């Protein structure tokens, strides 16, 4: 037992997981640690207990599946790889490419992934719907194993220290050697074993209606027929697209999904996890999924992929029908009626206006049901079975009808108080309806409101009235609060439902009122449903009693059931309606054994009811209906009117009515009345038929008519009628054949009828009838119905002879075009004809039959004539040839029972050679390739004699079809994959076969060359197959093979190896295999490493290359081959799966365990091949290898890093030697670093710079040993000093660039917008300086977009202008296309590119209301379109836009511009980039100083705000704290620093004054000087009487590095100047500013007279009224002679002051005149006051 496969897997899993525990602990992955610890604990104890078993056979399937479920669950919850297992019996092995095959491994992964996804989807849905406590209990069931029946108890608590015992006690941790692999049946044999006690064939699992408790009769249990083996319909789930399928069901995996419903789980109870997988068509572990195909398939002899589907057309046009089960359980009945209530449940379809299910009846006690009974047997619940998809898509309603039994004939008000009475008569009470939502699986609740009606004759359709919301016709039962139901919807067949919920086996089921579309042979049902619709009587209170009577007149007991859940009875009585016209529409079920059905009839008794005890029920008449029509068949479905005959007793002799003879004598007891009863019948049966032709065929021996005509009449039946009677029809056909001589006319008639029937069923476009034909041929051939009198009598003993002879005879004269239709029909049915022939030959082996030699002769005759048809070139046979090709595969698979492998090989090759190639018929060619793949996958490939004849034909056909179309290429790859997998897994001597495969260079070269040209999405499956094939052949090929291939490659295919390298390299550049497919990842890494190590010696070994002088061996150097090889090896080394530091820890352990550190080996291969490249050629690899080399330089593998360093500096040396510069290497290195540092953004904002682990791709430290002079000196130790000096310059330059890039990445990671804009601006300038235009454009648009997202529209426009400035208005020059994640530019003219960018800039300026900045751009555009290219329409457009912007400037109110703030960061705790520096910040609109301070403090919460505005002391700057200095500043300019005053007195110059609004806009453009002003007193002596004499102002001017607006919202202060303004200069500035303000108001009101005049009034009042503004006295001192004598240096300033005061008088007078014209009447007094004050002010000014 120590070497058992299950123990080996447990052991290896524990060791692997134990390694992960330490990693999880170090990485603080506590959840994964907890899960893995728990699983290891369980596995350790499982392993210890398993060791006590003597042999692996002692391990039960259930125990094995529970253990594997724990392993799989642990792997799934911790994100580990999917485990694939395969087996033939209970021993199994974990699969890999070595023991399974490459293509098969891919297939197994896809199927396993499908199972996992199905489980995940189901679990996620049900975890929301179900109770968490129930889920936890179910999960705990994984650990509860019973000790009985060979099972062991699951460990509960154990120490993980037991892991050490495993390592010491069992050294054989590796998996056992691979078993001889059974082929994957139909492509899905992923883990395939079957419990020993499971039957080899269980197709009958779905249609059986039997499900009630054991011991009940079909009637009493609610079923329709005696217990039978149930039948399961083979189906093809729609979601089973496979990794290796290319054309739906035509791929070798098409049949894989066909048998999914034939899976069965292993014995034993299932856990919560297992139940979820079973629900999806899988067991709890994939090893429990068993394909019940027996051992008859020939595929078990091969080890590769599955064969193509036998039925190419079987599933393409039809959809597989899935059934659903609906459990409805009554929880609460909130109505105390006082009577026992019968609640009848059924499902009603609104679309068809009828009930589609049987009824179920439960009895509610008088007090109602307010608490659901604890005893399951007392609950009112039923399972509505086998609802199909078309019904689920309809409007379904749950209808609950209520009945009570009463002693009164009058209707009782359901809202009245409850009274208990003696019950005699059935009466309606009410009805409730609720729409069912069955769109999803799961459990839900619904409440039904109960309603009633006063008109009892309306009860029959009360449910329709409620559904149609005809509220006037019904009323609610006010005393009834409603009925609460639980609805559980399960998608799957009934047997599967019971497997998941075994407790529901005793729940009564309710069937549908019709057969399914596909009725499988062997399923039996025989139900007659009678709907009693209405009666028209001459009296009131009529009760109808229904009975079933035999031909003797005796009552058939227990033959009637009103509803499931109730016992079967001998009669049924209708509810009582106090009216002469009664409408019931009650449905009852009648069940009588099929053998006695034709001898029975329905009998109706009519009674008048009364409340009198002696006349409760008085018989007044009778009626009847025979089950058998006059033609001998069951009566047709439909409405029947029952005539009523008078009688006064219940005992009516059958002789008086059964033959339709009624005495006309008036004295007779049987006299016809005028009363009538209408009923409707529905017959649901597979035992009896309503078709007279089938009945006559069943009695063919005694049939008196023309038997040939009768046989032909069968062909007029419809498809559903045929499939329902398929077993009976074929049984009688075979019986007739057994009585015929060879070549009799009836034999041919039967053959043609069989051909027609098969054609009808196979060609159906609405339903898939093939399963019925398959099941009949395999199990029920020649078997009569079990219900017939012929039970036990088998037929068909001579069918094979008759059918084969008829086939040959029917195919004769195929050359005649008139026979084309007959030939096609025969060939279409040939597949099943052969199945019938095989069944006839094999089923009666013990009988006296015709010799095998004659049988083989007949078979060969059929094959010969088929070959003749395929060789024919008659146009009318094109369709027939396609059909023959399609069906030959199935026929050929049946021949293995009668011919040896060698004989089968002769037949196969003969037929294949007869197929004529045709390039124009793609479908025909695909069928031919499918047939070829079935040859490969069969026993012929394993037989040496047949293989040597088969392979040449295979390669000949593949060479012809390869590349013709994607579908044909797909099939060619499938065939190649089959061969590769068979050679890997089955053939011991691989050398000869692999050589024949590998040497086919034409196919391989074409294959590899196709990969780069394929679309990524549409050809994904095809690409995967190509890669799988390449890897498979690489695995098979050894040194001698590659040497032979290298020598045999012709000049035409000299690029074979280049294409091969490029194809394999794409596996790493854009992985085609899923990341969780670890097994294949390991195989891929090992295979490519092995191949490159071989090719290193085979192709790249150049003896003269070691000279390294650039001369020797130059003729042998082929750059493309070296280039492709280096790209492959570098991509291999940069593969994400080998980044162990960032990959999933479990994956890293997995790959290291199975492959070792392959990076070291591949790095050494890379180094050795690089050494063969001549020195002068090495620089030619710069553009190719720089990107992967830079990536290698930041890896954690020392060997890879060392190789990367050597190759990098070798290329640097080569370029310096060739060009005496390093420009190309420098620029390509820059490009690589920029590509590596960022990823495409998945959100708004900056790009992603962090890896999955949260770390940056690289830092300066990452390249500390790479871009290093010491490292360079070691590599270039033999180089000249000049080369070393150049290399040192390169290192300095690249390090400077690295600083810019790393700063940008760090800022983006820290999400500091200000620092990001700063670093990206520097990076943009650097890229522009070095003309890296593509990257420059990318970062420009990146920055512009981010500005736009933040609302910085002006800055976004300024940034975009950097791109636009690259271009001129050249209409002839063309600029190339450029594309990045932030913008895409097609190839276009330079002027067109510039115009496009200008449009983007104008949009930004418009959003930012910077129309003044947009106007110059519009002028450029207008000039371009009017002067350069004369395109006046565009010019007119831009002129209109220009006028719009001018108008916006003019109409805008006083513009609100952003304020500017000065911020200083002092202290060593700030980052170096801002430490002890001051910046000017552009605030947001409406930002106040307090708001801005709060924003800065939020960013630096630990910083202290300085109260001073001066630069802090050096001690603060050197401190370890953080100090902020924040003040507001005003916009200034360089002229103000020198002029010392703010204006030029333009009114006194000849120059026209610029409007104030334009001055405001101009002052905000190209601003890099700002001023901070603060008043101070210079003299601390006596204070003068005029405060203005002592008012000095200190102006601090700050000059910035850049001008606003720019690409940033802040600029570094690079220079500061301090200017002191004297009191007289301050006074001059005040007057000038006030004059400008008044002039601006005047301009505004002149342009817009409607504006409010209040601001102008206030401004005039402030200037004129001396009490408000101090008047002229403030300035008298500055104009006095004493002051000028003391300060002669201010003489010029005094003159300017005086002039400004005179200017103020003029401007004020102008303002008063305007005010007089605009003022409203109510401001007349105010204006007069201003006029008088102005005169006073003017007089005072004249005295100065």
């Amino acid at each position: 037992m120590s070497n058992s496969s299950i123990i080996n897997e447990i052991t290896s899993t524990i060791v692997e997981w134990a390694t992960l525990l330490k990693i999880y602990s170090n990485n603080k992955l506590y959840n994964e640690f907890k899960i893995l610890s728990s699983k290891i604990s369980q596995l350790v104890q499982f392993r210890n207990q398993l060791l006590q078993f003597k042999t692996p056979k002692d391990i039960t399937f259930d125990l094995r599946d529970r253990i594997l479920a724990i392993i799989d669950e642990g792997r799934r919850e911790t994100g580990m790889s999917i485990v694939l297992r395969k087996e033939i019996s209970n021993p199994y092995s974990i699969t890999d490419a070595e023991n399974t095959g490459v293509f098969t491994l891919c297939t197994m992964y896809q199927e396993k992934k499908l199972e996992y996804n199905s489980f995940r989807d189901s679990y996620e849905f049900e975890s929301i719907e179900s109770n968490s406590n129930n889920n936890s209990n179910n999960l705990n069931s994984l650990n509860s194993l019973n000790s009985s029946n060979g099972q062991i108890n699951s460990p509960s608590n154990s120490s993980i220290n037991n892991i050490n015992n495993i390592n010491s006690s069992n050294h054989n941790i590796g998996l056992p050697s691979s078993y001889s692999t059974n082929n994957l049946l139909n492509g899905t044999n992923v883990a395939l074993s079957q419990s020993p006690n499971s039957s080899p064939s269980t197709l009958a699992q779905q249609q059986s209606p039997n499900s009630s408790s054991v011991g009940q009769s079909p009637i009493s249990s609610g079923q329709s027929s005696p217990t039978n083996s149930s039948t399961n319909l083979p189906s093809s789930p729609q979601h089973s697209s496979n990794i290796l399928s290319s054309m739906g069901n035509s791929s070798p995996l098409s049949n894989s999904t066909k048998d999914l419903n034939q899976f069965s789980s292993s014995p034993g109870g299932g856990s919560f996890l297992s139940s979820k997988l079973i629900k999806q068509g899988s067991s709890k572990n994939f090893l429990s999924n068993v394909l019940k195909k027996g051992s008859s398939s020939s595929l078990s002899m091969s080890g590769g992929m599955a064969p193509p589907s036998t039925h190419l057309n079987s599933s393409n046009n039809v959809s597989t029908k899935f059934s659903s089960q609906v459990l409805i359980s009554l929880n609460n009945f909130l109505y105390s009626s006082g009577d026992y209530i019968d609640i009848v449940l059924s499902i009603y379809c609104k679309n068809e206006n009828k009930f589609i299910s049987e009824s179920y009846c439960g009895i509610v006690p008088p007090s109602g049901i307010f608490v659901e009974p604890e005893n399951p047997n007392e609950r009112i619940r039923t399972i509505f079975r086998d609802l199909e998809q078309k019904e689920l898509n309809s409007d379904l309603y749950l209808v609950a009808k209520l009945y009570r039994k009463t002693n009164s004939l009058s209707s009782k008000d359901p809202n009245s108080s409850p009274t208990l009475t003696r019950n005699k008569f059935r009466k309606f009470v009410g009805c409730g309806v609720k729409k069912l939502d069955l769109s999803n699986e799961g459990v839900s609740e619904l409440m039904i409101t109960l309603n009633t009606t006063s008109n009892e004759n309306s009860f029959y359709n009360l449910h329709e009235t409620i559904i149609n919301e005809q509220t006037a016709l019904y009323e609610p039962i006010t005393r009834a609060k409603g009925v609460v139901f639980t609805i559980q919807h399960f998608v799957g067949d009934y047997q599967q439902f019971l497997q998941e919920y075994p407790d529901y086996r005793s729940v009564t089921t309710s069937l549908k009122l019709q057969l399914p579309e596909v009725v499988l042979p062997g399923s039996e049902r025989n139900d007659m449903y009678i709907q009693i619709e209405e009666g028209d009587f001459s009296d009131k209170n009529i009760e109808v009693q229904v009975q079933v009577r035999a031909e003797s007149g005796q009552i058939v007991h227990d033959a009637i059931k009103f509803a499931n859940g109730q016992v079967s009875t001998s009669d049924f009585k209708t509810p009582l309606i106090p009216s002469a016209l009664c409408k019931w529409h009650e449905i009852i079920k009648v069940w009588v054994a099929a053998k006695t059905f034709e001898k029975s009839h329905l009998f109706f008794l009519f009674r008048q009811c009364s409340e009198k005890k002696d006349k409760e029920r008085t018989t007044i008449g009778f009626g009847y209906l025979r089950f058998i029509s006059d033609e001998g068949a069951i009566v047709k479905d439909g409405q029947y009117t029952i005539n009523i005959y008078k009688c006064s007793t219940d005992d009516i002799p059958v002789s008086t009515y059964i033959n339709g003879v009624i005495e006309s004598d008036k004295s007779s007891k049987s006299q016809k009345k005028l009363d009538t009863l209408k009923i409707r019948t529905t017959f649901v049966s597979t035992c009896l038929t309503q078709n007279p032709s089938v009945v006559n065929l069943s009695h063919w021996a005694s049939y008196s008519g023309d038997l040939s005509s009768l046989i032909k009449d069968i062909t007029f039946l419809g498809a559903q009628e045929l499939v329902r009677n398929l077993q009976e029809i074929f049984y009688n056909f075979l019986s007739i054949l057994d009585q015929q001589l060879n070549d009799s006319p009836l034999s041919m008639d039967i053959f043609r009828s069989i051909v027609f029937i098969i054609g009808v069923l196979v060609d159906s476009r609405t339903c898939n009838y093939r399963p019925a034909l398959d099941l009949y041929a395999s199990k029920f051939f020649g078997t009569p119905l079990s219900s017939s009198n012929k039970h036990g009598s088998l037929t068909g003993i001579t069918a094979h002879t008759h059918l084969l002879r008829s086939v040959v005879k029917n195919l004769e004269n195929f050359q005649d075009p008139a026979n084309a239709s007959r030939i096609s029909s025969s060939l279409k049915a040939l597949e099943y004809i052969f199945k019938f022939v095989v069944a006839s030959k094999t089923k009666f082996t013990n009988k006296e039959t015709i010799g095998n030699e004659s049988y083989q002769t007949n078979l060969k005759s059929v094959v010969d004539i088929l070959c003749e048809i395929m060789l024919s070139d008659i146009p009318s046979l094109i369709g027939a040839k396609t059909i023959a090709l399609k069906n030959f595969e199935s026929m050929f698979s049946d021949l293995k029972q009668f011919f040896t492998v060698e004989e089968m090989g002769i037949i196969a090759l003969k037929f294949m050679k007869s197929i004529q190639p045709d390039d124009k018929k793609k479908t025909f060619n695909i069928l031919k390739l499918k047939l070829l793949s079935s040859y490969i996958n069969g026993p012929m490939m394993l037989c040496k004699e047949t293989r040597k004849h088969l392979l040449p034909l295979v390669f000949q056909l593949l060479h012809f079809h390869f590349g013709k179309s994607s579908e044909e290429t797909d099939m060619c790859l499938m065939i190649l994959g089959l061969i590769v997998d068979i050679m890997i897994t089955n053939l011991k001597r691989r050398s000869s076969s692999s050589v024949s495969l590998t040497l086919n260079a034409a196919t391989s070269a074409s294959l590899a060359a196709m990969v780069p040209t394929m679309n990524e999405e549409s050809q994904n499956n095809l690409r995967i197959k190509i890669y799988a094939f390449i890897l498979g052949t690489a695995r098979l090929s050894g040194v001698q093979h590659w040497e032979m291939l290298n020598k045999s490659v012709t000049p035409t295919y000299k690029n074979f190896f280049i294409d091969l390298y490029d194809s394999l390299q794409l596996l790493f550049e854009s992985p085609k295999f899923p990341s969780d497919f670890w097994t294949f990842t390991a195989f891929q890494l090992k295979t490519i490493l092995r191949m490159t190590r071989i090719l290193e010696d085979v192709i790249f070994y150049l003896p003269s290359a070691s000279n390294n002088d650039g001369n020797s061996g130059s003729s042998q150097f082929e750059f493309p081959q070296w280039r492709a090889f280096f790209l492959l090896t570098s991509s291999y080394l940069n593969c994400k799966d080998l980044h162990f530091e960032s990959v999933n820890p479990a994956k890293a352990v997995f790959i290291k365990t199975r492959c070792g550190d392959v990076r070291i080996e591949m790095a050494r291969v890379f180094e050795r091949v690089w050494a063969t490249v001549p020195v002068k050629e090495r620089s030619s690899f710069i553009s190719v290898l720089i990107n992967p080399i830079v990536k290698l330089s930041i890896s954690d593998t020392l060997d890879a890093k060392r190789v990367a360093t050597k190759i990098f500096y070798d290329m640097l040396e080569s370029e310096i030697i060739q060009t005496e510069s390093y420009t190309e290497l420098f620029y390509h290195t820059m490009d690589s670093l920029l590509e590596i540092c960022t990823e495409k953004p998945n959100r708004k904002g900056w790009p992603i710079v962090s890896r999955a682990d949260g770390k940056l791709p690289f830092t300066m430290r990452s390249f500390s040993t790479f871009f290093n002079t010491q490292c360079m000196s070691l590599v270039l130790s033999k180089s000249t000093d000049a080369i070393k000096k150049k290399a040192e310059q390169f290192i300095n330059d690249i390090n400077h660039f690295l600083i810019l890039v790393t700063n940008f990445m760090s800022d983006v990671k820290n999400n500091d917008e200000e620092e990001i804009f700063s670093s990206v601006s520097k990076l943009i300038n650097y890229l522009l300086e070095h003309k890296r235009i593509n990257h420059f454009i990318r970062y420009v648009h990146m920055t512009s977009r981010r500005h736009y997202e933040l609302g910085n529209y002006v800055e976004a426009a300024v940034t975009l202008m950097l791109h636009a400035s690259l271009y001129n208005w050249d209409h002839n020059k063309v600029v190339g296309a450029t594309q990045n994640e932030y913008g895409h530019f097609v190839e276009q003219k330079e002027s067109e590119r510039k115009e496009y960018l200008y449009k983007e800039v104008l949009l930004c300026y418009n959003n930012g209301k910077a129309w003044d900045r947009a106007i110059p751009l519009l002028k450029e555009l207008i000039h371009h379109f009017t002067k350069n290219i004369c395109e006046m329409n565009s010019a007119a457009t831009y002129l209109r836009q220009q006028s719009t912007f001018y108008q916006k400037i003019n109409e805008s109110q006083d513009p609100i511009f952003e304020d500017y703030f000065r911020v200083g960061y002092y202290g060593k705790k700030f980052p170096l980039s801002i430490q002890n520096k001051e910046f000017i910040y552009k605030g947001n609109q409406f930002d106040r100083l307090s708001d801005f301070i709060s924003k800065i403090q939020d960013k630096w919460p630990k910083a202290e705000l300085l109260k001073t505005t001066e630069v802090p002391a050096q001690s603060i700057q050197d401190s370890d704290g953080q100090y902020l200095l924040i003040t507001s500043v005003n916009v200034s300019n360089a002229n103000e620093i020198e002029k010392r005053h703010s204006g030029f007195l333009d009114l006194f110059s000849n120059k026209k004054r610029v409007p104030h609004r334009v001055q405001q806009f101009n002052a905000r453009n190209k601003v890099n000087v700002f001023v901070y002003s603060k008043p101070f007193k210079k003299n601390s002596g006596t204070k003068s009487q005029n405060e203005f004499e002592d008012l000095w102002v200190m102006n601090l001017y700050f000059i910035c590095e850049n001008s606003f607006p720019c690409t940033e919202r802040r600029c570094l202060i690079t220079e500061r100047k301090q200017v002191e303004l004297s009191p007289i200069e301050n006074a001059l500035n005040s007057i000038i500013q006030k004059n400008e303000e008044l002039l601006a108001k005047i301009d505004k009101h002149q342009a817009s007279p409607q504006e409010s005049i209040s601001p102008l009034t206030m401004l005039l009042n402030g200037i004129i009224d001396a009490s408000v503004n101090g008047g002229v006295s403030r300035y008298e001192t500055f104009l006095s002679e004493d002051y000028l004598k003391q300060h002669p240096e201010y003489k010029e300033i005094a003159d300017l002051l005086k002039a400004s005061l005179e200017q103020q008088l003029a401007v004020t007078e102008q303002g008063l005149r305007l005010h007089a014209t605009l003022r409203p009447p109510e401001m007349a007094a105010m204006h007069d006051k201003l006029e008088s004050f102005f005169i006073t002010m003017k007089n005072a000014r004249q005295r100065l």
Side-chain angles (χ1 to χ4, degrees), residues 947-963:
R947 186 170 65 248
K948 70 180 181 180
H949 296 97
L950 179 62
L951 283 180
L953 177 62
V954 169
F955 286 116
Q956 178 184 351
L957 292 176
L958 293 183
H959 181 71
F960 175 80
H961 291 284
F962 197 87

Side-chain angles (χ1 to χ4, degrees), residues 266-279:
S266 58
S271 66
F272 171 76
L273 294 175
S274 66
S275 67
K276 303 306 169 193
L277 294 179
I278 291 174
K279 182 182 295 185

Side-chain angles (χ1 to χ4, degrees), residues 123 168 257 282 368 883 1142 1216 1300 1312 1540 1544 1594 1691 1699:
Y123 179 79
S168 60
T257 58
S282 307
I883 296 171
S1142 59
I1216 293 174
L1300 297 178
D1312 188 339
R1540 303 171 64 86
F1544 273 109
M1594 177 68 70
K1691 178 67 172 60

Side-chain angles (χ1 to χ4, degrees), residues 572-640:
F572 168 78
K573 298 175 183 177
T574 59
L576 205 60
I577 297 177
S579 173
L581 178 62
C582 302
K583 296 183 179 181
W584 298 282
H585 286 256
E586 298 282 294
I587 300 176
I588 61 174
K589 180 168 69 173
V590 175
W591 185 87
V592 180
K595 297 178 181 179
T596 59
F597 203 91
E598 59 184 12
K599 300 178 182 179
S600 305
H601 63 277
L602 280 176
F603 188 78
F604 301 89
L605 283 173
F606 301 88
R607 298 189 180 95
Q608 186 175 14
C609 299
S610 172
E611 296 182 358
K612 298 180 181 179
K613 294 183 180 179
D614 56 341
K615 295 183 178 180
E616 284 185 354
R617 290 180 172 87
T618 302
T619 303
I620 61 173
F622 77 93
Y624 71 96
L625 177 68
R626 298 181 62 185
F627 288 137
I628 303 299
S629 66
D630 295 337
E631 297 173 327
I634 304 298
V635 293
K636 299 288 186 181
D637 294 346
Q639 190 182 69
Y640 293 89

Side-chain angles (χ1 to χ4, degrees), residues 112-182:
K112 187 70 171 178
K113 190 70 173 178
L114 176 65
E115 176 195 354
Y116 272 27
N117 291 340
S118 300
F119 165 80
R120 183 194 62 222
D121 295 341
S122 172
Y123 179 79
E124 288 177 356
F125 172 77
E126 298 216 3
S127 64
I128 298 174
E129 300 292 335
S130 60
N131 185 278
S132 59
N133 293 331
N134 292 337
N135 286 353
S136 61
N137 292 337
N138 287 328
L139 282 170
N140 290 334
S141 68
L142 280 173
N143 299 328
S144 59
L145 299 176
N146 298 325
S147 57
S148 60
N149 297 327
Q151 298 179 359
I152 59 176
N153 293 325
S154 172
S156 55
N157 296 309
S158 65
S159 173
I160 303 179
N161 295 332
N162 288 332
I163 297 171
N164 298 328
N165 298 332
I166 295 176
N167 292 328
S168 60
S169 62
N170 190 354
H171 299 285
N172 187 10
I173 296 175
L175 295 174
S177 59
S178 62
Y179 296 89
S180 59
T181 311
N182 230 3

Side-chain angles (χ1 to χ4, degrees), residues 516-734:
E517 291 185 355
V518 180
V519 180
L520 298 184
S523 60
E524 295 189 6
R525 186 176 174 186
N526 196 50
D527 300 327
M528 173 72 82
Y529 294 95
I530 308 296
Q531 183 178 23
I532 306 173
E533 293 187 336
E534 62 181 48
D536 188 3
F537 308 111
S538 56
D539 299 316
K540 297 181 179 180
N541 298 324
I542 300 299
E543 181 185 71
V544 181
Q545 183 179 11
V546 185
Q547 299 174 345
V548 178
R549 295 193 177 188
E551 61 181 353
S552 62
Q554 297 295 322
I555 297 176
V556 179
H557 296 285
D558 298 334
I560 296 177
K561 175 174 283 192
F562 165 61
N564 298 318
Q566 302 296 307
V567 296
S568 299
T569 60
S570 300
D571 57 18
F572 168 78
K573 298 175 183 177
T574 59
L576 205 60
I577 297 177
S579 173
L581 178 62
C582 302
K583 296 183 179 181
W584 298 282
H585 286 256
E586 298 282 294
I587 300 176
I588 61 174
K589 180 168 69 173
V590 175
W591 185 87
V592 180
K595 297 178 181 179
T596 59
F597 203 91
E598 59 184 12
K599 300 178 182 179
S600 305
H601 63 277
L602 280 176
F603 188 78
F604 301 89
L605 283 173
F606 301 88
R607 298 189 180 95
Q608 186 175 14
C609 299
S610 172
E611 296 182 358
K612 298 180 181 179
K613 294 183 180 179
D614 56 341
K615 295 183 178 180
E616 284 185 354
R617 290 180 172 87
T618 302
T619 303
I620 61 173
F622 77 93
Y624 71 96
L625 177 68
R626 298 181 62 185
F627 288 137
I628 303 299
S629 66
D630 295 337
E631 297 173 327
I634 304 298
V635 293
K636 299 288 186 181
D637 294 346
Q639 190 182 69
Y640 293 89
T641 300
I642 306 299
N643 296 319
I644 301 176
Y645 303 94
K646 292 181 180 179
C647 68
S648 57
T649 178
D650 295 353
D651 187 13
I652 308 298
V654 70
S655 60
T656 63
Y657 65 86
I658 193 62
N659 294 321
V661 179
I662 304 296
E663 296 180 9
S664 59
D665 187 4
K666 294 183 179 180
S667 62
S668 172
K669 295 182 179 179
S670 301
Q671 185 175 352
K672 186 175 181 180
K673 298 181 63 176
L674 296 178
D675 298 353
T676 58
L677 175 70
K678 292 182 179 180
I679 66 172
R680 184 175 298 276
T681 64
T682 302
F683 189 54
V684 181
S685 176
T686 59
C687 304
L688 301 175
T689 179
Q690 294 171 298
N691 190 279
S693 297
V694 178
V695 174
N696 292 331
L697 183 64
S698 300
H699 304 89
W700 65 271
S702 59
Y703 183 65
S704 58
D706 184 10
L707 195 56
S708 177
S709 299
L710 178 61
I711 294 172
K712 293 178 182 178
D713 289 342
I714 297 298
T715 61
F716 292 99
L717 301 181
Q720 290 199 1
E721 191 72 24
L722 285 171
V723 78
R724 290 179 183 180
N725 299 283
L726 187 68
Q727 188 173 350
E728 181 69 13
I729 292 173
F730 280 170
Y731 173 80
N732 290 287
F733 279 172
L734 296 177

